[in-house]
Amino acid sequence: MVRLEHVDAGYPGEVVLRDVSFEVNRGEVFALLGGSGCGKSTVMKHMIGLNPVLAGDLTVAGERWTAKTRAALCRRIGVMYQSGALFGSMTCLENVLLPLEEFSGLKRRAREEKARSLLADVELLDAAEKMPSEISGGMRKRIAIARAMALDPEVVFLDEPSAGLDPITSSALDDLVLRLRRERAMTFVVVTHELPSIFKIADRCAMFDKARRGMIALGTPTALRDGSEDEFVRRFFNRGES
Amino acid sequence: MKLFTSIGRGWMDGLLAFHDSLAVLGETVCETLALPLRPGRFRGRDFLVAFQRAAFDGLPICTGIGFLLGLILAFESAAALRTFGVESYVADLLAIGLFRELGPLVTAIVLAGRSGSAFAAEIGTMKVDEELDALSTMGLPPVRFLVLPRTLAATFAMPILTIFVELAGLVGGAIVLKMMDIPGAVYWGNVVRTADTFMITFGLAKAAFFGMLVGFVGCCAGMRTRTTADGVGVAATSAVVGGIVSVAVSDGVIAVVCHFWGV
Ligand SMILES: Nc1ncnc2c1ncn2[C@@H]1O[C@H](COP(=O)(O)OP(=O)(O)O)[C@@H](O)[C@H]1O
Ligand SMILES: [Mg+2]
């Protein structure tokens, strides 16, 4: 679904990660792991076409991000940003309605219905008329997920869905991801460093290291925890104790 | 050595900002031209909100500043003109000064301080909160959503604000002349005689152009906001400075061009 081959990730004039290669399969939950500032969001920004890769090859559903493919590819992905990135001047419902208004071609009533059913999916129907500033951080992230799902994307990217949330809310978010994958057969790419969450939702994960500027492990969470030769990977999975 | 480095870096930053603004400008022009074809895509509500904040919320301060401007202009010039016994010409001076030059200019400076900075701060905050990224990955061009409604709002707000500055300025002048025992009828008669329709419309057209500049520069500053702690503040500052500089420069160019064309 998303394939990276020998990708150098970073910003113009600054390579953050070298030679990253992995492939996210259709229908799996793939986690990007690593310490803060190691480049997880940077890799994700390449995957969602915000920044061009510095070197190597990156394809989403077999296509590279170019000026030509951009418009079509944008409609096949959904993104939830770390802060939610809801538009502050619109109510929650209008936030979810926006992509539908712009792209779905649905009639007004159908759009409303669809948006409300998305809000019901994330169990926030009663927040529909509220402004983003009036709801909590966890609720904002759930609304952002609803917005990301609006056009029935094939891949959904979630940047730190559980960061800054209490364990109960963040576990509810994990349940939401699992349920959405089950019901809609979507692919998820999740940036996270919450161990419980990784074991609960991730089918496979890629792990990056800031010091070595590269990907240091790839595999299922249990395989990495139990079978990795790498000191850093073992410490990560054993909460800092090796 | 350090001095040269920082000067060079300043120039590079300026050039880069100019380069970025040109890209945004091109996109804005395209979006504006596409507007009549697909009017449904225009963000009408964003326009109305920005327009209300720029125009109506700005009326009190513009009226106040215009009034003081007229008062001061009339007071200072009347003292000089009185030595020749022609203080009734203050009306001519005020009319020409306000309608041609000072009305649009002063209003543009106020707009840069009020709305240019606000545009930059709004868009800058959105950038820091990744809302601009969210627009891009939804396939929605930020220019159409953010720059276009705000720039148009500033463009339409400016003539309205300018009229209030000019009228308030004339009232200020009238009060000064009243104190100098010049009859109101003479004053207003002179104003009407001097200010022809062309001068007034020319001033208002200039005002609309300044509004477009201030709005656009403010939005560009917002789009270029860096995601650092002081990013939004820096963006707001550069919106005000950039807005005022671009208005002053283009006012100068317009004045020279008009001079050669004999307008
Ligand atoms: N816009 C940017 N320009 C240049 N460097 C950046 C930018 N954003 C982040 N970085 C650098 O990239 C590195 C990785 O950041 P990021 O991908 O956000 O980390 P994280 O894994 O916590 O999401 C950091 O060292 C950061 O300094
Ligand atoms: Mg991050």
Side-chain angles (χ1 to χ4, degrees), chain A residues 175-237:
Chain A
D175 291 335
L176 176 65
V177 169
L178 288 178
R179 183 159 59 80
L180 289 172
R181 181 183 57 161
R182 206 171 50 236
E183 289 170 3
R184 311 197 181 189
M186 285 176 180
T187 312
F188 282 89
V189 176
V190 186
V191 171
T192 185
H193 38 220
E194 299 271 318
L195 280 178
S197 170
I198 296 167
F199 285 109
K200 190 166 168 188
I201 64 172
D203 298 311
R204 287 193 309 140
C205 44
M207 192 158 168
F208 307 113
D209 182 18
K210 186 174 181 153
R212 280 172 277 175
R213 295 181 169 227
M215 190 173 84
I216 51 170
L218 178 68
T220 66
T222 33
L224 292 193
R225 179 190 57 192
D226 302 332
S228 179
E229 303 285 303
D230 194 279
E231 169 76 19
F232 184 83
V233 177
R234 276 211 311 275
R235 277 182 52 191
F236 185 91
F237 279 97

Side-chain angles (χ1 to χ4, degrees), chain A residues 45-214:
Chain A
K45 281 180 190 160
H46 291 314
M47 294 167 96
I48 59 181
L50 271 182
N51 300 327
V53 294
L54 301 182
D57 202 29
L58 189 156
T59 56
V60 177
E63 304 214 54
R64 291 192 189 89
W65 286 100
T66 63
K68 251 196 214 145
T69 61
R70 186 170 184 86
L73 273 186
C74 276
R75 248 149 274 177
R76 300 170 69 173
I77 65 167
V79 186
M80 188 214 81
Y81 291 85
Q82 202 161 336
S83 58
L86 298 180
F87 304 117
S89 60
M90 305 178 184
T91 65
C92 294
L93 182 67
E94 285 165 341
N95 264 287
V96 180
L97 271 173
L98 180 66
L100 295 169
E101 276 164 10
E102 293 287 330
F103 298 117
S104 70
L106 292 174
K107 287 262 183 321
R108 197 188 177 83
R109 285 196 70 117
R111 290 199 304 250
E112 284 255 356
E113 247 163 56
K114 168 112 195 191
R116 286 187 185 278
S117 84
L118 284 162
L119 286 180
D121 272 346
V122 296
E123 288 160 11
L124 278 178
L125 201 47
D126 44 339
E129 312 301 334
K130 293 217 171 89
M131 300 304 275
S133 54
E134 297 167 344
I135 59 178
S136 72
M139 290 159 92
R140 276 202 285 272
K141 286 190 178 181
R142 270 146 71 197
I143 301 278
I145 292 184
R147 185 177 69 180
M149 315 281 295
L151 296 172
D152 295 312
E154 293 163 52
V155 203
V156 178
F157 296 84
L158 309 173
D159 195 353
E160 310 219 3
S162 43
L165 300 184
D166 62 87
I168 297 174
T169 318
S170 96
S171 146
L173 266 183
D174 291 341
D175 291 335
L176 176 65
V177 169
L178 288 178
R179 183 159 59 80
L180 289 172
R181 181 183 57 161
R182 206 171 50 236
E183 289 170 3
R184 311 197 181 189
M186 285 176 180
T187 312
F188 282 89
V189 176
V190 186
V191 171
T192 185
H193 38 220
E194 299 271 318
L195 280 178
S197 170
I198 296 167
F199 285 109
K200 190 166 168 188
I201 64 172
D203 298 311
R204 287 193 309 140
C205 44
M207 192 158 168
F208 307 113
D209 182 18
K210 186 174 181 153
R212 280 172 277 175
R213 295 181 169 227

